[in-house]
Amino acid sequence: MNLIIGAFTIGLILSLLSLGMLISFRMIKFTDITVDGSITLGASLSAVLIMAGWSPWLATLLAFLAGSLAGMITGILHTRFKIQEILAGILMMTALYSINLRIMGRSNIPLLDTATVSSGFEKLLIELTGGEAKLLVFGWPVSLADLAVFGSSLILCTLIGILLTRFLRTHFGTVLRATGNNPQMVRAQGVNNNTMVIFSLALSNGLVALSGALLAQYQGFADVQMGIGMMVWGLASIIIGEALIGKTGLGVTITGAILGTILFRLLIAIALRWGLNPNDLKLVTALFVFLALVTPGMFKSMSNKFFGGSRHA
Amino acid sequence: MLLTQEQRGKYLVIAANGRLDATWADYFADTCLDHIRNGHHNLILDAQELSFLSSAGIRSLLRINKEILSVKGSFLIVNSAPFVAKTIEMTGFKQWLSEQLPEEISTQKTNQLHSEVEKTETYVLNPSAMLTLSVVANWQPWQSLTPDKTYKLSFPNSVFALGIGSASDNFDEAKLSFGEFIAVGSHVIFQPPEVKSRPDYLIAEMDYIPEMIVIQALCCQGEMSHLFRFSPEERILSFTISEIIDLVFSTTKSNSVAFVILAEVDGLVGATLIQSPGQKSEKDIMPFPEIREWLSFCGDRLFAGHQALVFGIATRKESDVKHSLLRPLPANPEISGHIHAAVFPFQPLQNGKIDLIKNVQKFLNGPPPEALLHLIDDDRPIVGLGQSSFIRGACWCAPLQNKEGLV
Amino acid sequence: MLKIYAISKTFFPNTVNEVRALQKVSLTIEEGSFTAIIGTNGSGKSTLLNAIAGTFFPDEGKITLDGTEIINWPEYKRASLVGRVFQNPFAGSAAEMTIAENIVMAMRRGQSRPLRQAVTLSVKEVIAERVRLLKMGLEDRLDNPIGTLSGGQRQALTLLMATWLKPKLLLLDEHTAALDPKSAAKVSELTKNIIQQEKLTALMVTHSMQQAVDLSDRIVMMHRGQIVEDYRDEMKKRVRVIDLMETFDRVQKRELFDESVAALLEKQYV
């Protein structure tokens, strides 16, 4: 049970990464590699600030802002200086590697016995259960700390999902979604599509950094290497989400990304449990994404089998 | 509808199999009109397999009949089934129906329309006829124009002429409207020199004889001595203007000739004034690109399938008729000439010996002319458009003699 | 309304591919007029339209629209004054978004984009009402992605979007050229109706001379980056397709009249 709760928690935290990437990769159609750097940025900045005694909430918020700044720079590199989007992302990601080392001062910061964003929730749980350290969930004992992290992640994630959905449905959000679809049309409607790209990348990388901050707090450390391959994981999650419930609407797409991430983490947890060498994990993920990209019909038919095929009618 | 045709002597027998109704009427009429255009002026419709004839079908038969009448041909319907025959009779076209084929029709299929006659039929009109040339050439391009350089020319029946002139009767107006003209037996076609305007024409009527103020003209008086007809055969699909001129020389046995051609066009190459020379005042030489404001060049072989009325003069080197208005033809530099052509929408010409003036009249009574060109032999390497050429038609010609000085 | 003063544009200057797409073109369009621009391929007609729309900046010249100098305005800024329909029926709308979402974007063309829900029920009612006038049955499909529609339907919607807020100037860039004949006729008809009802000032580039004659009240002909003919008022009412063809022919003949022809005529033309 601990394993499942853990997978769900990581899944919920990383779903913020997926949501961020949903904005860049899917909505404005920008292949943004900054992600690998900005998730570490969020983790390292929040870790350093929490260690320095800042409020975990404030640290997490600042991580979000730092990620936004990184995304904004990538956007400016692309739109202002006409650098190809992939190269712009690579430049920013590479720069962030050094920046993250600078922030942390070393390659790894442990976060032991420090307050996190879930601390308040944990206290509440402890008061409610009257001091028990563990709670029975479906007959399995689960530590209150784990439950607290899970619960707060769930609340945060749901909140952000709803906010994002509502935001994307506003006038501004509608134009943002159109930007990736047809920049020409967006210009013809009087909107500077370059500004939209910069804003979207800022929002996207802000969410990614937020995910990184929460991940560091959950894992109890920030590592300069932790971002490697995160982009591919996020992509895999998005693909699974789309295969699972499709992309017929905005709410569906966002829910799909969240559920996809959770399922992906569960699959990984199961695979690791069955003896998959953790070092092979990224290879397997890359293969998975490769297959998903070259066989577009595969997942669609898979989801049709799951849901009786009526969804796409 | 299935149409099969068979040449039998001068007749073309067309067997129609199917229904001549609204669906097929246009196809049927167009096919037959095409035959008429190609010189088959005696059509017989074999209606044995014709199962139905509607009013639309009757209308197409009327179109064909009208075209055949205009070239004095004949149109018969044979072997018609009772229903078809009754329809034709009741609509009042009984004269088309025939019990049997005409007696003089050859019993066997023949290969060609005129197998028994020569490809170019020649008719002698008046062996002693001659044309007398007088020249008006007071103006040379691109001199400035003054009233003393103009000349008033009138066009009675016996005059054939070409040149640059205006139909206005005073110099002040005329100087704005000098353009190419062609005159054949009191029928004058002229091109007002404006880019947008169509050719205009003057026709002698009652006491009226057309007159023009001209600044350049080659004017021939007299009558034509010969007429020859030309039409394509197996290997020759069209006749270039210099081939026709060669035929004119050999027909008239003269070193200087004038000729009128009425023929279906294969392609015309030429130039036209688009601004009256009277409007110019300064320089005598017109450099490129200013020349483009004055002359328009066809740029392509034009007017295929139209009918052209051509008047020209050609002389061999040995001839004593010489003038700066006659320029060497690139196709044969031994020959000099000057040729204008007026272009009309297509109308079929009758076969055989036909009258020049009557046919010119017929054209001017029909749809208006579309263009008037000074024909040019474009011998530029690679991009050259070549000479004007014609598919089939008639050429009237006569020897030419000099008359000194002005008319 | 629209005043263009001597704008020029040369693409790939000083290379073998140099194209002098616009050569000191000046044009004044009066308020409420519907002008058609015709011309051969590469005549500069679309380039002129793009110069007005702001797709690129001309090398020289000035453009004022409704009294405002707009030559330095970027494309998106000009959209506040200009409505556009493109040749490609897919260029004017966002394929993956719904009909309603596409239209709701056009309802605030050139205006601020507030953080309020865009497609509300009341907005949808307003949209359905206008879409119903297209008589294409699209009012029942407002939540379908616009990419599922045919080219003609999308172009009709793009036209509706471009004119939802009355533009100072409507630019139509061969907007029926990529449609099948039936859809093209329908969109043409729609164009005429909308422009008449809303009393719009419009500039239309077209390949179809028939369309130019039928729809517009002024026809400007371009060739090699220059305006070679301008039929307006009484002249336009008189002009028929065949006249336009002849003018084209004349312009092209002039083009073919080069130095070698001049030499030829010097030898042979008397």
Side-chain angles (χ1 to χ4, degrees):
Chain A
M1 197 63 211
N2 274 332
L3 190 78
I4 293 173
I5 296 259
F8 264 94
T9 309
I10 292 199
L12 282 171
I13 290 172
L14 286 181
S15 68
L16 296 180
L17 163 85
S18 304
L19 289 180
M21 285 178 60
L22 197 67
I23 293 171
S24 55
F25 279 69
R26 287 295 191 251
M27 303 215 161
I28 59 163
K29 309 242 168 18
F30 191 107
T31 311
D32 180 25
I33 299 182
T34 321
V35 169
D36 277 11
S38 48
I39 193 164
T40 319
L41 178 67
S44 56
L45 188 66
S46 61
V48 168
L49 290 179
I50 289 171
M51 286 303 283
W54 290 50
S55 140
W57 288 101
L58 191 60
T60 307
L61 182 69
L62 280 172
F64 174 84
L65 292 178
S68 300
L69 185 66
M72 199 183 287
I73 293 172
T74 305
I76 291 171
L77 287 179
H78 174 63
T79 56
R80 263 313 276 232
F81 301 101
K82 311 280 174 231
I83 297 170
Q84 290 170 26
E85 52 186 57
I86 294 203
L87 193 54
I90 290 175
L91 288 180
M92 197 57 219
M93 183 190 76
T94 311
L96 280 176
Y97 190 84
S98 297
I99 291 168
N100 290 336
L101 275 174
R102 278 268 171 195
I103 290 172
M104 293 196 288
R106 53 196 160 146
S107 63
N108 193 305
I109 291 185
L111 281 170
L112 295 170
D113 299 326
T114 49
T116 67
V117 289
S118 58
S119 301
F121 195 67
E122 192 181 340
K123 270 190 204 131
L124 186 70
L125 275 182
I126 289 171
E127 271 175 33
L128 281 176
T129 52
E132 296 273 345
K134 289 195 190 255
L135 203 66
L136 286 180
V137 179
F138 301 120
W140 299 79
V142 180
S143 84
L144 277 183
D146 284 353
L147 262 185
V149 179
F150 171 72
S152 49
S153 301
L154 184 65
I155 291 168
L156 202 60
C157 183
T158 314
L159 202 64
I160 288 177
I162 291 171
L163 274 179
L164 192 62
T165 311
R166 296 199 60 163
F167 164 72
L168 289 172
R169 278 189 179 144
T170 62
H171 288 280
F172 188 88
T174 308
V175 175
L176 186 151
R177 283 183 288 142
T179 304
N181 237 262
N182 189 343
Q184 164 84 78
M185 177 258 189
V186 166
R187 280 198 299 278
Q189 300 306 333
V191 174
N192 187 346
N193 59 316
N194 286 339
T195 311
M196 296 312 288
V197 166
I198 295 171
F199 176 84
S200 304
L201 288 179
L203 179 61
S204 157
N205 281 289
L207 286 173
V208 171
L210 182 62
S211 165
L214 295 179
L215 188 64
Q217 291 168 50
Y218 173 72
Q219 295 183 141
F221 67 92
D223 189 295
V224 76
Q225 305 271 10
M226 67 187 279
I228 296 173
M230 279 298 180
M231 193 203 88
V232 181
W233 283 10
L235 205 54
S237 308
I238 292 174
I239 291 169
I240 292 176
E242 283 169 357
L244 269 184
I245 45 176
K247 38 185 176 180
T248 46
L250 191 59
V252 170
T253 313
I254 285 177
T255 317
I258 296 172
L259 292 185
T261 317
I262 295 168
L263 182 66
F264 181 61
R265 291 314 305 185
L266 277 175
L267 287 175
I268 286 181
I270 292 166
L272 289 175
R273 183 68 183 261
W274 281 352
L276 178 74
N277 184 340
N279 290 336
D280 293 339
L281 199 55
K282 292 200 162 93
L283 175 68
V284 172
T285 315
L287 274 175
F288 169 80
V289 173
F290 165 76
L291 279 175
L293 291 178
V294 295
T295 53
M298 189 171 93
F299 291 92
K300 206 169 177 182
S301 62
M302 195 171 87
S303 74
N304 280 354
K305 255 175 229 154
F306 278 139
F307 296 99
S310 57
R311 189 172 306 275
H312 295 284
Chain B
M1 166 169 276
L2 182 68
L3 294 176
T4 48
Q5 43 268 325
E6 181 174 287
Q7 185 75 46
R8 288 170 70 179
K10 71 168 189 173
Y11 294 95
L12 184 74
V13 180
I14 300 170
N17 185 342
R19 296 164 61 88
L20 187 49
D21 53 15
T23 314
W24 290 101
D26 282 340
Y27 164 71
F28 175 76
D30 291 343
T31 309
C32 292
L33 292 180
D34 234 30
H35 289 310
I36 297 168
R37 189 179 188 134
N38 290 332
H40 302 279
H41 292 175
N42 298 289
L43 298 187
I44 295 173
L45 174 62
D46 183 344
Q48 190 157 22
E49 304 290 332
L50 193 64
S51 56
F52 179 75
L53 179 67
S54 74
S55 292
I58 294 274
R59 235 189 90 249
S60 71
L61 293 176
L62 270 171
R63 267 176 75 194
I64 295 159
N65 191 52
K66 186 174 162 235
E67 195 84 341
I68 282 180
L69 285 182
S70 78
V71 293
K72 300 199 163 47
S74 62
F75 181 50
L76 285 179
I77 300 171
V78 298
N79 295 337
S80 43
F83 170 73
V84 170
K86 203 173 145 204
T87 311
I88 293 172
E89 264 177 49
M90 281 167 51
T91 42
F93 300 105
K94 199 177 171 185
Q95 71 273 19
W96 292 340
L97 293 170
S98 171
E99 293 290 315
Q100 69 252 349
L101 293 170
E103 280 173 18
E104 77 271 25
I105 195 166
S106 67
T107 47
Q108 269 148 30
K109 191 181 163 188
T110 47
N111 283 330
Q112 279 180 358
L113 176 56
H114 303 288
S115 53
E116 62 272 30
V117 283
E118 298 245 341
K119 203 61 237 169
T120 55
E121 314 154 54
T122 306
Y123 305 94
V124 180
L125 304 173
N126 177 356
S128 60
M130 272 205 129
L131 291 168
T132 309
L133 172 72
S134 35
V135 181
V136 179
N138 295 348
W139 176 80
Q140 291 294 322
W142 299 87
Q143 294 170 344
S144 58
L145 201 59
T146 46
D148 59 298
K149 285 185 173 141
T150 62
Y151 188 87
K152 198 147 199 165
L153 205 58
S154 64
F155 302 96
N157 254 326
S158 57
V159 164
F160 304 90
L162 57 80
I164 297 173
S166 162
S168 305
D169 67 342
N170 64 71
F171 179 76
D172 286 335
E173 270 183 39
K175 75 175 184 187
L176 302 174
S177 60
F178 284 116
E180 279 91 357
F181 74 89
I182 181 169
V184 173
S186 72
H187 296 75
V188 185
I189 303 158
F190 60 97
Q191 172 79 56
E194 276 165 38
V195 278
K196 286 175 203 168
S197 62
R198 289 255 182 134
D200 210 334
Y201 50 94
L202 306 167
I203 304 175
E205 254 162 311
M206 313 286 281
D207 293 338
Y208 171 70
I209 295 174
E211 279 185 335
M212 284 190 106
I213 295 177
V214 299
I215 55 176
Q216 271 192 356
L218 291 166
C219 183
C220 303
Q221 188 138 28
E223 58 178 309
M224 293 293 178
S225 64
H226 294 83
L227 159 67
F228 64 82
R229 303 298 305 258
F230 55 94
S231 55
E233 52 181 317
E234 271 165 42
R235 275 160 293 119
I236 303 168
L237 296 175
S238 67
F239 298 80
T240 64
I241 190 80
S242 61
E243 282 165 355
I244 294 175
I245 289 173
D246 284 341
L247 285 170
V248 171
F249 279 124
S250 61
T251 308
T252 57
K253 301 185 177 59
S254 169
N255 283 333
S256 40
V257 292
F259 54 90
V260 174
I261 303 170
L262 260 179
E264 185 182 344
V265 175
D266 178 49
L268 291 182
V269 182
T272 314
L273 279 169
I274 49 173
Q275 206 175 148
S276 171
Q279 290 182 312
K280 188 175 160 291
S281 51
E282 319 91 51
K283 33 196 170 178
D284 284 355
I285 300 157
M286 185 71 71
F288 182 82
E290 275 101 307
I291 184 86
R292 299 205 298 193
E293 309 299 328
W294 297 86
L295 279 177
S296 147
F297 180 66
C298 61
D300 205 347
R301 295 176 64 82
L302 298 179
F303 303 113
H306 284 61
Q307 204 83 289
L309 170 65
V310 181
F311 176 62
I313 287 171
T315 62
R316 285 202 175 117
K317 218 176 175 182
E318 309 85 83
S319 164
D320 56 347
V321 178
K322 287 189 166 51
H323 199 277
S324 65
L325 289 181
L326 301 172
R327 297 282 178 100
L329 304 176
N332 182 357
E334 302 276 287
I335 297 172
S336 298
H338 192 146
I339 308 153
H340 284 188
V343 183
F344 292 86
F346 183 81
Q347 283 187 39
L349 279 182
Q350 198 184 330
N351 286 334
K353 184 177 166 184
I354 55 173
D355 183 72
L356 170 58
I357 304 299
K358 275 189 191 150
N359 276 282
V360 172
Q361 263 169 8
K362 193 178 129 188
F363 272 95
L364 283 173
N365 287 334
E370 293 187 354
L372 203 149
L373 295 170
H374 177 143
L375 296 188
I376 301 279
D377 179 354
D378 184 2
D379 64 336
R380 288 175 295 161
I382 304 168
V383 293
L385 302 170
Q387 315 186 45
S388 301
S389 57
F390 303 88
I391 294 170
R392 71 167 54 75
C395 176
W396 294 262
C397 50
L400 196 63
Q401 65 182 7
N402 232 345
K403 181 181 170 192
E404 291 308 320
L406 299 175
V407 184
Chain C
M1 174 56 57
L2 174 72
K3 288 199 175 78
I4 301 171
Y5 303 100
I7 56 167
S8 297
K9 177 72 187 178
T10 304
F11 292 111
F12 319 114
N14 306 320
T15 67
V16 283
N17 295 324
E18 181 177 289
V19 182
R20 297 173 70 191
L22 293 176
Q23 301 181 39
K24 295 207 175 297
V25 174
S26 295
L27 185 67
T28 303
I29 305 282
E30 280 91 31
E31 181 156 9
S33 70
F34 183 2
T35 305
I37 304 179
I38 56 175
T40 44
N41 282 334
S43 61
K45 54 187 194 303
S46 283
T47 312
L48 179 63
L49 212 66
N50 288 336
I52 298 166
T55 311
F56 62 83
F57 294 114
D59 301 332
E60 54 177 354
K62 282 201 297 180
I63 300 176
T64 62
L65 181 54
D66 200 23
T68 318
E69 171 74 55
I70 59 165
I71 195 75
N72 291 319
W73 286 21
E75 189 179 357
Y76 67 86
K77 195 171 170 194
R78 294 189 199 188
S80 58
L81 304 175
V82 176
R84 291 168 78 187
V85 184
F86 306 92
Q87 177 176 8
N88 182 347
F90 308 133
S93 46
E96 291 170 21
M97 302 180 67
T98 66
I99 296 177
E101 284 171 334
N102 270 285
I103 292 179
V104 92
M105 280 189 271
M107 288 167 74
R108 303 193 70 88
R109 177 170 49 76
Q111 300 177 355
S112 67
R113 307 280 172 175
L115 291 174
R116 267 188 282 115
Q117 191 179 350
V119 184
T120 57
L121 280 175
S122 59
V123 164
K124 253 168 128 174
E125 267 168 37
V126 175
I127 291 174
E129 206 172 296
R130 291 273 289 263
V131 169
R132 190 171 290 120
L133 297 179
L134 300 179
K135 298 193 185 76
M136 288 177 161
L138 297 177
E139 60 276 10
D140 304 325
R141 299 167 62 183
L142 293 183
D143 288 328
N144 287 21
I146 211 165
T148 58
L149 305 186
S150 74
Q153 291 169 323
R154 277 183 81 169
Q155 207 65 324
L157 285 174
T158 308
L159 191 63
L160 184 68
M161 286 164 63
T163 54
W164 191 284
L165 295 180
K166 185 179 175 179
K168 293 288 179 201
L169 179 68
L170 176 65
L171 297 178
L172 306 166
D173 186 2
E174 296 192 39
H175 68 305
T176 60
L179 304 179
D180 63 88
K182 216 173 155 184
S183 306
K186 170 108 199 185
V187 171
S188 267
E189 180 69 29
L190 195 64
T191 308
K192 192 176 184 171
N193 293 344
I194 289 184
I195 287 175
Q196 270 175 6
Q197 280 162 16
E198 311 273 319
K199 298 187 176 57
L200 298 175
T201 311
L203 195 57
M204 170 177 75
V205 164
T206 178
H207 253 121
S208 158
M209 291 185 243
Q210 190 64 54
Q211 193 180 36
V213 169
D214 292 349
L215 296 187
S216 66
D217 47 41
R218 179 177 173 189
I219 299 177
V220 170
M221 188 183 286
M222 289 191 69
H223 188 71
R224 299 259 167 147
Q226 289 173 318
I227 292 176
V228 291
E229 201 71 58
D230 187 351
Y231 296 97
R232 53 196 304 179
D233 308 325
E234 298 308 308
M235 278 291 281
K236 159 61 185 66
K237 286 182 191 145
R238 201 184 60 92
V239 83
R240 295 158 306 153
V241 170
I242 187 155
D243 300 318
L244 296 178
M245 301 265 277
E246 271 174 14
T247 309
F248 259 126
D249 199 40
R250 206 173 66 234
V251 169
Q252 265 167 347
K253 270 183 191 164
R254 202 180 139 86
E255 200 65 46
L256 290 167
F257 195 141
D258 57 9
E259 273 119 325
S260 68
V261 173
L264 181 78
L265 293 181
E266 199 179 328
K267 246 193 315 177
Q268 292 188 42
Y269 186 88
V270 198

